[in-house]
Structures are given as C-alpha cells and as structure tokens.
Amino acid sequence: MLDYLSHLYLPGSVALWSAMVFALAAVWGYSLVLRGDTGALRFARLSYNFLAVSMILTSLVLVLVLLMRDFRIEYVFQYSGVDLPGHYQLASFWAGQKGSFLIWLFWGTLLGVLVKKTAGGAKDEAAVMGIYTLTLLGLLFILVRENPFVMLKETPLDGQGLNPLLQDDWMVIHPPIMFIGYAASAIPFAFAMASLWRRDYDRWAERAFPWALGGFLVLGCAILMGGYWAYKTLGWGGFWGWDPVENASLIPWILGTVLIHGLHMERTRGRYRRANYVLAALVYLSVLYGTFLTRSGVLADFSVHSFVDLGISAWLIALMVSFVLIAGYLLVTRLGQVPTEQIEDPFLSRGMFMVLATITLLVSGLVITLGTSAPLLTKFMENPGQVGPSFYNRVNLPIALLVALLLSFVPYLTWRGTEPRDLLRKMITPFLFSLAVTIAAFAWEVKEPLHILFVFLAALALAANAQKTLGKMMAGGIQAAGGYLSHVGVGVILLGILASSAYDQSTKVTLERGVAKKVDGMTLTFTRYIPRQGREKDRMEVAVVDRDGKRFFVYPKLFMNERTRQVMVNPDIRKTMVQDLYVSPIEFDPGQPQLQLAKGETGRAGKTQVRFVGFDLNAEGNAMAQMAKGGVVTIGTIVEVKQPDGTVTTVKPLYRLNPASGQVETPPMPLPGGGAIFVSGINASGGQVQFQVTGVSNPARLSIDVTRKPLINLVWYGLYVVLLGGALSTIHRLRQSMKREQIQPSAV
C-alpha cells in the first residue's frame, strides 16, 4: 500500500478519493430521505456540496501541475511540454483519456448543484439527485481506477508534447463545451427515472425541459466548433467525416432534438407522455454507448480520434449495463401506468406531423448508430470492417428530404387538422420562393432530379418557417418565434450541405517554383517556401490571380512534427460570401538534395560537390563543457564545397541543441555563387552528418489540392440560426414558467 501511495501525487489523489467518499455519502443520504428520514436531507445536500468542492479541487490541482509543467506526473509528461504556450498547456487537461473523464465529472458536479435547486420538494430532490449522483459515481469509479496523478519513477526534463492537431484555438474550447453537453444529458434522464420510481408522472417534463433544451444547445455549439476545426485544420476539405467520435456526439444531439420536441408537446398538449421517458433514457444511454465505442479501444483501428484501450472496457460496459438495467426495469414496470391519450389526429394536423418527424429522426439516429457500431458488430467475422461516408450520405439523403418536407408543412398545420385547400393557399408565397431558388439552382448546375427535389424542399422549409417566424415576431416578439427560427436554420444548413458537398470542384496540381499555372480559371504561382518562425509552422506561399484579375496570396502549411516525426498539413482558406477557396498541401519537394556523409566522404548536389571534412567541437566554445553545464551545445562541421568552375570553398555549418527544450537551430551558411548549406541532422552512432543544400539543384515543387466550396458558409450560418432559435426559445419558456409561478424576473 505504501509503495502504491509513493507513486501518487497526493494533493490530487486525496481530492479525488474524497469526491468518491462524498458521492457515496450523498447517494446514501438521499436513499434515507426516500425511505422517510427527512432529516437526512441536510446530510445528503452537504455531502453533495463537498463532492462538488472535491471535484473542483481535483481539477484545480491538475490545472496547476500542467501550468507548472511538473513532469513527475505521468499525465503531465504524456500530454504537455516545455515549449507549449499557456493556453495549449491548459488544453492538455482534456487531451487524454483521464483528463477528459475529469472535465466531464467537473461539469457534471457543478450542474448538479443547480439541479438540486430545481428538483422540487424533499422527496423529488432525493429521487432526482440520488439517480443523478449515481451517474457521476459511475464515472468516478473509472477515474479513481485510472488516476491522473500517477507519478513516474524518474523526472524527465520535458514532456512528450500535445498532439499538433490539438494545438488549435478551437480545440482549447471545443472539448470542454462538448463535455458540458454530455454531462447535461444525465439530467433529463434523472428526472425521468425519478418520476417513474416515485410514480409521479405529472411534473417532471416541466422541470426537465430547460435542461434538455440547454443540453441540446451546448452540444450543438460543440458540434459546430468541432466541424469548423476539422474543416480548417485537417486538410481533407470537409467538415464532417462520419468518424465514430463525431457520430458519438451527433447521435445524442439527434435524439435530444426529438426529446425537446416531445417534452414541449407534453407540457403544452399532454402528448408523448410515455415516449418521453424512453427518449430521455435513450439520450443518456447513447452518450454512454458512444463513450464505450470511442474510449474502450474497440475502434482504435477505425477512428482517427479513438482512444487506445487503457483497460477500462469492462468498467465502461459495467457502467452502461447498470443504467440500461435501471432504465429497463423502471420502463417495463412503470411505463404502462403513465396516463396518456390516444392520438386520433387527422393526417394533415400538427400532431400527426410531429409523430412523423419523431419517427424520421429516430430512424436517422438508429442508422448512424448501426453504422458507427459496424466494427463492433463485425468484430468476430473473418474480415471486420466499417462503413464509409458514402453509406451515411446515401441513407440520410432521403431522411433529409423527409425532414425538409415535414418542416415545410408544420407551420401551417393546426392541432385539429387543416383542410388541403387552406394549406395550399397559405403556402403560395413559400412555394413561389422555393420555385425561384430551384430554377436558379438548375440554371447554375444542379441537374440531378434528386438534388433538384432536395433544393426545392430545403428552400420551401426555409421560406415557410421564415414566414411563420415573422408572423410570430409581430404577434409576440422575437422570443416567441425561437422554434420556427431554428427550423429556418435547418433549411439553410440543408442548402449549404448540398452545395458545398455535391458541387465542390477539386483540382490536384503540382506547381514548380516561379512558374505560373492555370487552374480552374485562376493563375497559381508557387513563389516561396517560408521556414518556421517561432510557433509559426513551415508555410508555402502561393500567389493567386482569380478570374477577375484580383491578386492575393494563400499560405498552406506542411511541416514535420519534431516530437512524433509525423508530416502534418494545414490548409489555407480564402473566404468570400459565395464560396471558399480551399488550398490544401499534398507534397512538397524542396528540390534540394539531402546528403548523409561520414568524415572524408563526398556527395553531389546538382553540379556542386560537397565533402565533409570533420567536426569542429570548439565552434562556439567547448561542446563537451557546454553539455556538462546543461547549456546550449554547439557542434560545428567543416565542409569543402567545389563549384562547377573548380573553385573550392570551406564553410562551417553549425548545429545547436538546447537540452532543456529539445529545440534545434541549424542556421544556413551561404555558398559562393548562390545557394546555402545547413546541417539537417546528426547520426552520432554512425559518425555521419546530414546536410541540406539549397538553391543549387532542381527547382522546388509543391503539390496542392485546390477546391472551390460553394455556399459552405450556409452550413455555419444555418447552425448559428438553429442555436439562436433554441436560445430564444429557452428564454421564452423560462419567462412563461416564471409567469405561471408568479415570479417576477427581477426576483430571479
């Protein structure tokens, strides 16, 4: 035991273990309240508050050791480094498996403090908070086992660094927001299960609705950030690749969309009373299932995001199965007792179209779940595999068409039913708008019948809901129009997805430095290679003259990650109102030979001969003495360069190494007649030096992928509108609740 403790950083570990103890105490206290001991309520509340404090302290300790770069701690060593800026050092918190569970628990416990205040009376609070604390306890068991405060036996001078793909400002804020959404998914689940447990079926929807809507908004915001990060960072030209980790957030969001509509129906019309219990369970269970798929290691060979197996598969399965059993038991034994009304709505009614929309979205969620699970479902086959993006696109296209169709009619339908003649009369203006958009799309280049139908229905959904939004705004203010405004955003997104994905134009081209080349009506010239400067990565400058004669520059990046030796690419994007010019590097040939020479050996760069004479260990002071002091070590090399005219010049390229940071400097040494030579590496065991010679051989070449992405901004703008509409709807519902409870806004 003492040996185990000696390998733990106690400030963080003690806070984490304390959280476990207080979580168990809170569950026990709330269980006593449910058994009639109302005096235990204070004990349960205090225990939960101490749980929250413990999680805050645990998180604070990890933040501090990361900012202090305390490489004694294994997690700090694995995901940070001395050369990381402070905000990326902070992002190391959630870069790994353990840190991501901790940030999830951090947000979950803080949200629980607010849930405690909105759960209702003592028995209501005990049931809701008891189940909610159980959801946190399951994650705590995993985190205590995978302690993020394990210490190394020896203290390294530097860490392994943060994955360069994560060194992006969007990734500093995207994961924390994502985990707020994951944590919030447990709140409607807790309200639903508590309602079934206590057989109190009338009040949970009202209290759970703001949490469900808030979780939907936060998760949607995180998906927007993740999509934009992928688009601007990964270089493959898209914003959604149907990767399992992407799907793990999309599935709960789709199910959450159904849930908020169902809860709204229950609150306003008394509908969906049984379905909402199932939906609340599915949203939370889908988060657990997505966590299992992406963090157990089962998809390590199929996902660029998936974590490797750290031995927590059994724990994740146990966590998931536990809540499946809890939800299954309560649904099977209680759901039949929930009073409900038989739906007898006519076909052309709002209620019937809500049912159809629910079924459509559930089918989409199911299809995406099955596709994401393909590696798991085929694991025991001879050739396990996964489905590609084409599967998701093909299956979801008719679903998107149906969603657009339903959204087009809903604004004009009533609960009692609408006559076809009245419906058509109300839709004349949206129909004419949609027809005009479709004709314009056809004149542009949309010729496939299915795509024409897609444009027509998406534009119809946009126009119908925009008309209804304006009507609601005039009648009750913009907040009353939040739901319809979100539907406007869906129509905008659908148009953006079709235009940017099905009608993008991509051309792969190789540019020789200084030589202009025509590409899709533009003139491109690779002008120069710009080596890294500070934290700015290696860039290639490409001059672009567009069809209108306007000249500008793009700077795609292609660089080597010094820690992992991986080649990384970042595109450059030139944005306009109607399209993006997306330039992604494929390959860079510097046209400059690398010569690996031992002492006395000669190599050739073009017509120039290069002979390595030997090392100069006193180029900037004694190298051995510098190494003993831990300072910057400078190793000089002596090189004879013979030009084509027979002239021989001796140059002394330098190789400087900073042991503390691991950074290397190799300043280029100019050559007579042009060009330069520098040391690009040293093979100490073989006594060889790798030299890079520039400007004396073949011209540099850059291969790039040039893509026009028409109307891609509609995707981002549409999602903004969806989230804005959801936020307005949240404010509107809260104000309505306050009016019903006769609470003045100033008193809140």
Side-chain angles (χ1 to χ4, degrees):
M1 181 66 177
L2 290 176
D3 182 64
Y4 172 72
L5 292 175
S6 67
H7 290 92
L8 292 177
Y9 187 72
L10 289 182
S13 297
V14 170
L16 184 58
W17 291 333
S18 298
M20 172 70 77
V21 171
F22 289 126
L24 290 169
V27 171
W28 182 56
Y30 282 124
S31 68
L32 291 178
V33 176
L34 288 173
R35 283 182 282 180
D37 184 2
T38 55
L41 184 61
R42 184 172 183 272
F43 170 79
R45 288 174 174 173
L46 282 175
S47 297
Y48 188 88
N49 290 339
F50 281 123
L51 162 63
V53 171
S54 298
M55 289 311 306
I56 292 172
L57 291 175
T58 305
S59 304
L60 183 60
V61 170
L62 185 57
V63 169
L64 289 176
V65 295
L66 282 168
L67 295 179
M68 292 168 57
R69 294 169 171 80
D70 190 344
F71 299 121
R72 296 176 301 165
I73 299 171
E74 183 181 36
Y75 190 82
V76 179
F77 168 73
Q78 289 175 333
Y79 297 103
S80 68
V82 295
D83 58 340
L84 279 179
H87 62 301
Y88 291 152
Q89 193 73 16
L90 179 62
S92 302
F93 187 119
W94 41 84
Q97 186 92 283
K98 302 172 183 180
S100 58
F101 278 117
L102 180 54
I103 192 71
W104 187 347
L105 275 164
F106 172 78
W107 291 123
T109 52
L110 291 187
L111 289 176
V113 174
L114 300 176
V115 174
K116 197 153 47 75
K117 298 180 180 299
T118 62
K123 289 290 183 73
D124 292 322
E125 178 186 334
V128 171
M129 288 303 298
I131 294 172
Y132 183 71
T133 308
L134 279 177
T135 67
L136 300 176
L137 193 57
L139 295 175
L140 266 171
F141 276 121
I142 295 175
L143 191 61
V144 167
R145 182 188 182 279
E146 296 297 315
N147 195 312
F149 298 103
V150 174
M151 298 181 68
L152 299 170
K153 293 181 180 180
E154 298 180 359
T155 304
L157 295 176
D158 194 3
Q160 294 178 338
L162 184 65
N163 186 325
L165 289 177
L166 302 180
Q167 294 182 36
D168 184 274
D169 291 346
W170 286 106
M171 295 309 289
V172 177
I173 56 176
H174 161 64
I177 293 177
M178 181 72 73
F179 284 111
I180 295 176
Y182 282 177
S185 69
I187 300 176
F189 173 79
F191 274 101
M193 297 303 104
S195 170
L196 291 173
W197 181 264
R198 299 196 62 234
R199 293 185 170 87
D200 183 357
Y201 308 121
D202 295 327
R203 293 175 295 172
W204 82 275
E206 181 74 28
R207 290 169 177 160
F209 179 73
W211 294 107
L213 188 54
F216 164 82
L217 293 174
V218 172
L219 200 54
C221 185
I223 290 172
L224 169 65
M225 291 179 178
Y228 189 72
W229 164 79
Y231 178 64
K232 69 179 283 288
T233 302
L234 298 184
W236 58 278
F239 49 83
W240 198 262
W242 297 106
D243 185 87
V245 170
E246 295 173 332
N247 295 347
S249 60
L250 179 63
I251 295 167
W253 194 63
I254 291 174
L255 297 177
T257 304
V258 181
L259 176 61
I260 60 175
H261 285 82
L263 290 175
H264 172 67
M265 289 280 284
E266 180 171 346
R267 292 166 61 248
T268 58
R269 312 296 300 184
R271 308 284 184 86
Y272 278 62
R273 299 196 65 182
R274 293 179 180 175
N276 285 334
Y277 288 103
V278 179
L279 291 170
L282 287 177
V283 171
Y284 177 62
L285 294 176
S286 69
V287 170
L288 294 183
Y289 182 63
T291 302
F292 163 72
L293 285 180
T294 57
R295 296 175 184 273
S296 65
V298 298
L299 300 182
D301 296 330
F302 300 96
S303 170
V304 298
H305 298 90
S306 181
F307 290 88
V308 297
D309 186 7
L310 295 181
I312 62 172
S313 299
W315 291 80
L316 288 170
I317 292 173
L319 176 64
M320 187 167 51
V321 169
S322 298
F323 285 104
V324 167
L325 292 176
I326 291 173
Y329 170 77
L330 292 173
L331 289 171
V332 169
T333 59
R334 306 284 203 275
L335 199 61
Q337 304 170 12
V338 178
T340 185
E341 296 180 6
Q342 189 71 26
I343 297 179
E344 297 179 350
D345 298 327
F347 179 74
L348 285 179
S349 66
R350 182 167 296 184
M352 182 57 67
F353 271 56
M354 286 286 288
V355 171
L356 294 174
T358 297
I359 295 172
T360 302
L361 291 175
L362 287 176
V363 168
S364 177
L366 177 62
V367 167
I368 297 172
T369 302
L370 291 175
T372 308
S373 307
L376 187 63
L377 298 175
T378 61
K379 186 175 184 179
F380 301 103
M381 296 182 180
E382 184 177 351
N383 296 310
Q386 64 177 341
V387 298
S390 60
F391 165 80
Y392 296 103
N393 294 334
R394 185 171 59 253
V395 173
N396 280 290
L397 178 58
I399 293 176
L401 289 171
L402 185 55
V403 168
L405 178 65
L406 295 172
L407 289 180
S408 302
F409 286 99
V410 163
Y412 305 108
L413 297 175
T414 64
W415 297 106
R416 296 180 179 179
T418 304
E419 291 295 327
R421 182 181 303 174
D422 293 337
L423 181 62
L424 294 176
R425 178 177 52 81
K426 294 176 181 178
M427 294 187 66
I428 290 177
T429 301
F431 178 85
L432 292 176
F433 172 84
S434 179
L435 185 61
V437 171
T438 305
I439 293 173
F442 182 82
W444 176 47
E445 59 180 79
V446 179
K447 300 295 189 290
E448 291 189 25
L450 200 59
H451 289 175
I452 293 173
L453 178 61
F454 191 101
V455 171
F456 179 81
L457 292 178
L460 188 62
L462 189 163
N465 285 277
Q467 187 181 55
K468 191 70 173 182
T469 299
L470 291 174
K472 283 282 186 178
M473 287 173 57
M474 295 176 65
I478 189 171
Q479 292 172 5
Y484 293 107
L485 185 61
S486 290
H487 294 168
V488 171
V490 173
V492 174
I493 291 173
L494 292 176
L495 290 173
I497 289 175
L498 180 69
S500 62
S501 300
Y503 293 92
D504 58 343
Q505 298 175 354
S506 180
T507 304
K508 293 180 175 59
V509 61
T510 298
L511 303 175
E512 185 176 299
R513 182 173 177 179
V515 179
K517 182 171 284 192
K518 289 282 187 180
V519 178
D520 191 25
M522 300 178 294
T523 301
L524 305 182
T525 307
F526 171 35
T527 55
R528 59 173 174 150
Y529 161 77
I530 306 174
R532 66 180 60 198
Q533 300 169 347
R535 296 202 58 81
E536 185 64 69
K537 307 301 183 185
D538 305 63
R539 297 176 294 162
M540 291 74 183
E541 183 179 77
V542 179
V544 182
V545 179
D546 64 16
R547 295 171 178 175
D548 299 327
K550 185 177 180 181
R551 178 181 171 88
F552 57 89
F553 294 92
V554 292
Y555 296 91
K557 300 176 184 177
L558 191 149
F559 57 94
M560 177 76 72
N561 178 20
E562 293 179 354
R563 293 180 181 270
T564 64
R565 308 310 297 173
Q566 293 175 292
V567 176
M568 315 298 297
V569 300
N570 291 152
D572 195 12
I573 305 169
R574 181 78 174 187
K575 303 185 77 68
T576 64
M577 289 293 293
V578 296
Q579 71 173 3
D580 283 2
L581 179 64
Y582 191 94
V583 181
S584 181
I586 301 173
E587 184 180 7
F588 175 57
D589 176 10
Q592 303 154 0
Q594 287 188 343
L595 305 175
Q596 186 156 313
L597 305 175
K599 184 177 179 180
E601 288 185 345
T602 300
R604 181 174 291 275
K607 297 180 180 180
T608 302
Q609 289 185 355
V610 178
R611 178 174 174 267
F612 175 37
V613 177
F615 290 102
D616 179 8
L617 300 182
N618 296 298
E620 292 183 347
N622 187 279
M624 302 305 293
Q626 294 169 338
M627 187 178 299
K629 294 178 182 179
V632 176
V633 178
T634 301
I635 300 174
T637 61
I638 304 173
V639 177
E640 288 184 353
V641 180
K642 185 177 181 179
Q643 302 291 345
D645 61 0
T647 303
V648 177
T649 306
T650 300
V651 294
K652 297 181 178 181
L654 301 177
Y655 183 89
R656 298 191 187 102
L657 170 65
N658 187 335
S661 65
Q663 290 185 331
V664 173
E665 293 182 8
T666 57
M669 304 297 293
L671 298 174
I677 184 172
F678 62 91
V679 179
S680 57
I682 294 180
N683 183 351
S685 60
Q688 295 175 314
V689 177
Q690 189 176 74
F691 295 99
Q692 188 91 24
V693 185
T694 66
V696 297
S697 58
N698 297 327
R701 288 181 172 85
L702 173 65
S703 296
I704 55 177
D705 190 344
V706 182
T707 306
R708 293 182 183 273
K709 308 286 289 186
L711 301 180
I712 192 170
N713 288 331
L714 293 183
V715 177
W716 318 122
Y717 297 154
L719 196 45
Y720 295 151
V721 173
V722 170
L723 298 177
L724 175 61
L728 292 173
S729 182
T730 303
I731 295 171
H732 183 62
R733 303 305 174 196
L734 289 175
R735 288 190 172 182
Q736 285 185 328
S737 297
M738 287 189 293
K739 287 180 180 179
R740 280 195 294 269
E741 297 175 14
Q742 296 183 342
I743 299 177
Q744 296 299 324
S746 60
V748 176

